[in-house]
Amino acid sequence: MAGLTDPSVTAEERIAAAKALGTSKDPLAVETLIRGLGTTDEALTRAVVEALVAQKAAPVLAKRLADANTVETRKVQACLGLRHLKDPTCVPTLAAALKDESALVRREVALALTVIGPAPAEGELLAALSDSDGDVRYGVAEALGEVKSGRAKQALEAQLAKETNPTVRFALEGAVRRCASA
């Protein structure tokens, strides 16, 4: 279904392609649909997400993320798909992936947890707050700001006291404010 990712076809044709993939028996349907998430067209994104749900893609993507043999780009795509699917049953897999060797994967995991609901992964997020990568710490701070627990607030304040990266400090400050308003 090249139509889904072909920018030369109309939006309606791309949406129709996404819907067709949702009912397809093609084993590559999930792969094509994931590539379709990289659009700014909200109607197309909705159609792709609905097709991914129809394909029962969440467990497939979670398995891909957990597999040590999966390459970084496919793990990042899995995180993107899981973020859009918002399936809370995938939180344990995402939490475990906060220890992935790739900083890019860890950052995408933190973002996915922020969207899905980070509270069940609070312990793993607290551990990742001291990640060596600033982008990961930024994403983890955002996620912990959504947890809004006293424990998260204390950890965010402690990290803020020692954080030197101005972008991460900004995220930490916002997260502390969100925790304080809970």
Side-chain angles (χ1 to χ4, degrees), residues 58-74:
V60 173
L61 297 174
K63 183 177 177 185
R64 178 181 302 166
L65 179 60
D67 185 349
N69 295 318
T70 302
V71 296
E72 178 186 64
T73 54
R74 288 177 53 88

Side-chain angles (χ1 to χ4, degrees), residues 109-147:
V109 164
L111 181 56
L113 285 169
T114 301
V115 171
I116 295 170
E122 182 177 13
E124 292 87 346
L125 286 163
L126 290 169
L129 193 54
S130 60
D131 195 280
S132 62
D133 186 87
D135 288 339
V136 174
R137 291 193 310 278
Y138 183 98
V140 168
E142 290 293 318
L144 284 170
E146 296 304 313
V147 172

